[in-house]
Amino acid sequence: MTARHIAATLLLAAPMVLTAQQPVVEPPAAAPVTARTQPRAQEALLPNGMRLILLEQHRQPVVSIALTLPAGSVFDPEGREGTADLLAALLTRGGGTRNAEQVAQAIEGVGGSLSAVADPDQLTLQADVVSDQAPLALELMADALLRPALDSAEVAAQRARSANSLAGGLGSPGTIAARVFLIGTYRASPYARRATPQSVAAITRAELLAFHRARVRPAGAVLVIAGDITLVEARRLAVQAFGGWKGLRPAALPAVAATPAPQGIILVHVGGAREANIVFGATTFAGTDSAYYATAVLNRLLGDGRTGRLARALGGQRNWTLATGSSFLRTVRLGVFQATAAVPVEVADSALRVMYDEVNRLRTDLVPARELERARESVAGGFALQLQTASQLAAATAEARLLGLPGTYIGGYRPRILAVTAAQVRAAARRVLPATGLVTVVVGDATRLHAPLSAIGPVRIFAQDGRPLSPEQIAPAAGALRLDFSRHVPRTDSLAIIAQAQTVGLQVASLVRAGDSLTYVEQTALGTVLSQTTTLVFDTAGRMRRLVQVGKVRDQDTRIDLRYSAGRVQGATDLAGTDGPRHVDVDSPVPPGVVDDNGVQAILPFLPWALNTRWEIPVFASGENRIRTLSLTAADITQVTVPAGTFECYRADLEGGPQRVSFYVTTAAPHRVVRVELANSPIVFMAVNP
Amino acid sequence: MFSLLVLLVAAPLAGQGVGRIGFSRYTLSNGLEVTLAPDRSTQVVGVSVWYDAGSRLEPVAKAGLARLFERLMFAGSANVPPGGHATLTGDLGGRVGAIVDEESARFSTVLPSSRLALGLWLEANRMGSLSITDTTVGEARLELVEQLRDQLDQEPYAAVIASAVASLYDTLTCSGYAHAPLGRLQSITGLTTADAREFFRAHYAPNRASLTVTGDFDTTQARQLIAEYFGPLPRGPAVAPFACADAPPPAARTARVTDRTAPAIAVGQFFPIPPHAHRDTPALELLEVIMSQGGAGRLNAALVREALALGTQGGVLGQRRGPGAFGLFAIAAPGVAADSLAALVGAQARWAAGDGLTEAEVARAKRIYRATAVSGRERPADIAAALQHAFMFHGDPEAVNTEVDRVLAVTLADLRRVAGTWLNPAAALTLIVSPEAAR
C-alpha cells in the first residue's frame, strides 16, 4: 500500500469519524458589553431643596414616580425601633382629604399602584400609573408624604400587625442569628438597631408625628420620574405637588466607623434545637466605595444558593446543609457582608471549619478564570433583568442617588462588573472577610455546641435575650424531685401505639384518689404480643406503696407484686424469660423517694416543670431486681400535634435506662403526656382523647 | 417651528392607547415566521418561540401529550445537556418560561443583551434535536402526574372547573377543546416515547413555529444568527387544519359535582362565546374588568361586600382561536345555599346587559384595562408575547398596535348588547360544587 493510498483512505475516513462521534458544539460566546448612556438623567433642583431627576422614555404611556428621602430605620429613636417602618406602612393608609379606602379606590380606579417602604437609610414612596394619570399620582404621593392622616385606629391596627409579625419570627433561630450578627458587627452604630415587638408596641402617634417632622423634609429628598413625560411637565407637576413643602435640611447621619469586634464565637443558646444556624462576616464599606463591584462578584462566587462555593462544599457529598449562602447589605455609611448556613447540630463545628476554609481559599488563591467569568456574567445579567420597566428604573435610580452614587452608575454597572479581575476578588475577600475581626454567631443548643466550637476558638455564650451565660449555666439545672400530688385532677388518658403509620395498640391510663391513696392504673395492649395491667399505689406525698402488674407477654403469664414500706421493697416477680417463666424473690433496701420503674410515666404530671431542668430519679428496676438512677431532662419546648390536638409541650428525655425515651408533656397543667417516643424504635405513643 | 421639533423628538403618548411597537417580519424558507422588535433602551433580550402545538391537536385518548412538552423541551438536545437550557440561562441571570394550553406551546427566554446568540442557539437546538428518550419522556410523564395530583389535592375547584369548561364542547365535532390540557391519570400514564416523537415531528417544526425577538439587539446581527441556527432545520410535514364549529352550542343545564379539597360550596356559570378574533371580543374583555377587577369590580361589590360570597372571579377563560368560554365564579359565604348563590351569579350576568352598568363604570374599566395593557408592553418578554398573540390570534403582528384601541372604543351600548348576546344565564352551564364532606 502506497503512502498516497493511506492518505486517501484517511481522508475518506475522516468525515465518518466525525459523524460517528457527533461532536458537541459549544454554546456561542457572549458579545461585548459597553456602558449605556440611555436614558440620560435630566436634573433640576427645586427652590425648596428637593432634587428632581427625570428619566424620559416614551416607549409606553407609563410614568413611575419614586420619592426617596433620608428617613430610614437608622433614624429610629432609641427604644422605638421600627418607627420608620411603621410610618411607611401608614403613609398610604389615608392622606389629604382621603381616608385609607378612598386612597385605595383612587389608585386602583386608574389601574395604578402606590406603595411605601423603609430601608435602613431611606424611606421611599413609589407610584406607577399610565402617564396621563401622573397628576393624580403626584397628588396622592404629596398627600401621603406631607399630609398623612395617621388615623388613630389605623395606627393601632398597623402597630399590632407589625408587632405580631415580629413576634412570630422572633423565636426562629435564623432570625436570632441575623439579629445577633448585626448587633455584633455594627455594635454601637445606629445600623445595629433592630425593631422588637416591644419597641414597636411602644410607638405612639405623637412619636410618629415627631419622626415625620424631624425627617420628612424637602432638602435631601430625591424625586425620580421615569417614563412618558417631559422635563417641563415633570417640573410643573413636581412644583405643584411639592412646591409648598418647606423645612430645613434634616440632621445628617453621623459618621459610622467600623469598630473591631472581640475575637471568638458568639454562641446563642436555644435548648434542644436540633439545627445550628451559623452566620459570620464583618462590616464592609460606605455605599460609594468602588470595592462594591468585586464584592458583588465575590458574593456570587461564595454564596450562590446552587453553584456557590459554600453550597458545593457543604452540600454535595457531605450533604450537611439545610440552607447556605452569603449576602451583603449596602448602606450609605457602612455595609455588612455575611456567610450563612443552617446545618444539623452534630456537624456544626465541622461545617464552620469548612466555611472558614472556603473563605480562606478566596483570600489566598486567585479564582479560576471560568468560574470568575460565570459569576461576573451572573451578577451583570441579574442587574440587567432588574431594570426592565420604568418602575424598576425609577426605584434603582432613587436608591443609587441616596447612596451618593453618580448618574452614570446604572448605565455603567454591567461593564464595571464584567471587568472585575481575580486579584480584585481576592482583595475584596481580604477586606470584607478579614482573617482577624470576623464576627461569628452560632445559634443552637449550647450544651451540644459549646465543647466542639471551643476547639475552633474562644466561645462566649448568651441567652436568647442577650444575657451572658457561663458554661455551667447552660448545663441543665438540677431539679428537686418534689412530686406535688395536690395538683392531681382525676382523669383518664388514652394513647394510641403507632408503628409505621399503623395503630398497633392502645394504652389507657387513669389516676384516682381513694382515701389516703392515689391509684394509677395503666392498661396496655399491643396486638397479640403483649397485654398487661399495671396498678401503682402512692401515698398522698408521692411515696410508693404497692405495685401489682399482671399480664401476658408472647403467651407467657407475667406477674409482679411488690410492697414498698419502711425503706425496703419486698415481694416477688414472675417474668417471661427466654427459657420459660423466671421467678425472683425481692427483698432489698431502697433509697427514699424511690419510684418503681413501671411508675415513671405516672409521676410526670406532678413534677415541678421548667425548661432546661434535670431530675435524677432513683428507680427500683423490678425486672432486674436492682436500683438504678434515671435522669430526666426538660430539654425543649415545642408544638406537638397528635390525634388529640396540638399542644405546646416540654420534650423530656429519659436516660440511664435500657432505652432512651422522650416524653412530650404539655406545658399547661395538668401536664399530660401526649406523645412518647422510644429511641431507635419505630413505635410512638400518641394521645387520642381531647 | 422649534416647539414642533421638540414635540417630534420627545412626544408624550398621553393621547394613545398604548405605545406603538415597531417590528419587522419575514419568513425563512423552512416556514419559520420571524418577528424582530428591537428596543435599544433596555439591557435585555427576549427570545420567544410559539408552536402551534396546543392540546387541541391531541386525541382525547392521549390527553396530556401536548402538555408533556412543557417539561420535555428542557430535557436537552444534541449539544445541550439535560436541564442545560435552564441552567445556562439561570447562570447568566436570565429566566425561562414554558406554557402549553389548548392553543399553543409557548417558550420564552430572557437574557442579558450580550447573550442573544445563546438564546437563539438554545431554541434552535431543541427545535432541531430535542432529546426524546424513554428516560426524558418518563421524567416528563412523572412531572405531569405530579401536576395533576397537585391540582386534585391542593387547588380547590381547579379540576372541576377545567372539566366543566371542556364539557361545553361537543366531543365529536370539537374534540380538541372537549378535554382538559392537563389530561387524566390514565391518559398520561399511557403516553409513550413513540407518541412524544410523533407529536414533536408533526408540530415542533419550523413551519409550525413563530420566533419573536425583542429588546436590546441589532436587527442585522439577529437575522444572521437566525439564518445560521434555524435556517438548516428541515420543514415538517403538513398538518390538517384544526376544525371546530365557530358557534358554540348553548349549554342550558346544571351540573352538580363534589370536590374533596373545596373549603365551601361554590357556583360557576360558564357561557359559550365566539372565537377570539370575533368583533365582540373587545367588549367581552372589558366585561371581564367590569366584573372582577379590584374592590369595585361588580362580583366583589355585589357578592363579597354583601357577605354573600367569600371570593369571586370572572372573565374570559383562556383566549382561543376556536369558540371560547366566559365564566363567573363565586364561593358561598356560610349560610348561603348553592341555589340562591347560583341565582345571584346569574343576576350579575343579567345586570351587565340591563340598565345597571353606567358610563362611569365603563370609563373606570377602560382606565384599568389600558393600564394593564401598558404594563404588559414594558418588558421584552411581555412585548414578545403580545406580538406572538397578535400573529397567532389575528394573523398579523401589527394587531399588537390596534388591539387595545379596539377595546377602548367599545361603548356602553356595545357592552349591553354583547352582555345580552353572550352572557345569557338561560344558555349557560351552571356548575354547583360541594365539598365532599357535605354529602
Side-chain angles (χ1 to χ4, degrees), chain B residues 103-269:
Chain B
E103 291 304 312
S104 57
R106 314 195 280 274
F107 300 91
S108 138
T109 307
V110 186
L111 285 160
S113 51
S114 51
R115 287 303 198 154
L116 169 68
L118 178 72
L120 292 169
W121 182 84
L122 285 169
E123 286 297 358
N125 261 281
R126 60 183 176 184
M127 191 186 289
S129 63
L130 184 67
S131 163
I132 305 178
T133 65
D134 288 349
T135 311
T136 60
V137 171
E139 280 167 3
R141 211 165 37 211
L142 215 64
E143 164 85 15
L144 204 54
V145 170
E146 273 312 301
Q147 280 183 30
L148 190 71
R149 289 229 169 91
D150 283 353
Q151 189 189 59
L152 292 173
D153 295 345
Q154 287 159 31
E155 296 170 44
Y157 311 116
V160 290
I161 289 176
S163 308
V165 173
S167 80
L168 290 173
Y169 298 91
D170 189 298
T171 48
L172 288 176
T173 62
C174 207
S175 73
Y177 289 140
H179 68 272
L182 193 46
R184 303 170 311 278
L185 195 58
Q186 263 182 326
S187 63
I188 296 169
T189 47
L191 297 175
T192 65
T193 308
D195 291 334
R197 286 214 177 104
E198 178 49 31
F199 195 80
F200 184 81
R201 194 187 66 84
H203 302 296
Y204 280 75
N207 50 310
R208 304 280 298 165
S210 161
L211 166 69
T212 299
V213 184
T214 49
D216 180 26
F217 67 92
D218 174 73
T219 304
T220 311
Q221 196 210 356
R223 286 183 80 120
Q224 281 166 1
L225 289 168
I226 289 165
E228 182 186 341
Y229 298 146
F230 291 91
L233 302 180
R235 176 184 281 272
V239 174
F242 175 79
C244 178
D246 270 6
R253 61 191 168 88
T254 299
R256 291 175 191 272
V257 298
T258 59
D259 179 347
R260 67 192 159 88
T261 59
I265 291 170
V267 169
Q269 266 186 356

Side-chain angles (χ1 to χ4, degrees), chain B residues 48-83:
Chain B
S48 158
V49 180
W50 282 26
Y51 294 92
D52 191 346
S55 65
R56 68 181 200 170
L57 300 174
E58 73 202 5
V60 182
K62 304 275 180 200
L65 178 56
R67 193 67 168 266
L68 202 64
F69 286 81
E70 252 185 29
R71 166 78 181 246
L72 199 54
M73 282 292 273
F74 293 92
S77 50
N79 300 307
V80 181

